[in-house]
Amino acid sequence: MPFINVTDVVMNEEANELKEAYNSNLKIKAAIDQFDNECRLRRELTEARKQKNITQMQLKEMTGLTQQVISRIESNTEISPSLKNLMIYANAIGYELSLQPKKV
């Protein structure tokens, strides 16, 4: 008799419940999509900074932002950075934030 991993079974059931909730509840879908977009933006900013070989401490000196604010921008915390701080960060690493139509 093969071994059944109970954790995998429970995780699959929970994943299916989450998928169902995502597909059937517009508020849940909107919240998840927003969080995904925030995570993507934070990851892209962090990768761009690293590609330019700029440390968080160097960025602190370039922007006047505290290291704590920079760290919060780069991490997926519940605390959303201000638009002003995002713009300062992006500008310092040679980028700008812009609005684009959604990809449907």
Side-chain angles (χ1 to χ4, degrees):
M1 181 171 175
F3 177 74
I4 298 174
N5 188 335
V6 176
T7 303
D8 288 342
V9 172
V10 171
M11 294 295 286
N12 286 335
E13 288 176 10
E14 289 178 356
N16 287 335
E17 288 176 18
L18 287 173
K19 284 180 192 176
E20 186 178 318
Y22 176 82
N23 290 324
S24 64
N25 187 316
L26 293 177
K27 287 183 181 181
I28 290 174
K29 185 178 185 333
I32 290 172
D33 290 347
Q34 180 179 334
F35 182 74
D36 283 348
N37 288 333
E38 286 180 21
C39 290
R40 181 184 40 78
L41 177 60
R42 291 172 191 238
R43 186 175 55 254
E44 288 174 356
L45 286 169
T46 303
E47 289 172 6
R49 174 185 61 78
K50 289 179 179 178
Q51 286 177 355
K52 299 238 179 182
N53 294 316
I54 300 171
T55 66
Q56 284 188 351
M57 293 307 288
Q58 289 170 323
L59 190 59
K60 173 186 170 188
E61 296 301 318
M62 295 166 67
T63 62
L65 298 173
T66 66
Q67 198 276 329
Q68 183 182 20
V69 167
I70 293 167
S71 180
R72 272 196 233 139
I73 288 172
E74 294 184 356
S75 63
N76 293 323
T77 64
E78 291 182 19
I79 301 169
S80 293
S82 71
L83 181 57
K84 178 181 175 182
N85 287 344
L86 286 173
M87 293 175 75
I88 290 169
Y89 181 113
N91 185 58
I93 61 171
Y95 287 81
E96 63 183 23
L97 300 178
S98 63
L99 185 66
Q100 298 178 10
K102 280 184 170 183
K103 297 176 185 174
V104 182

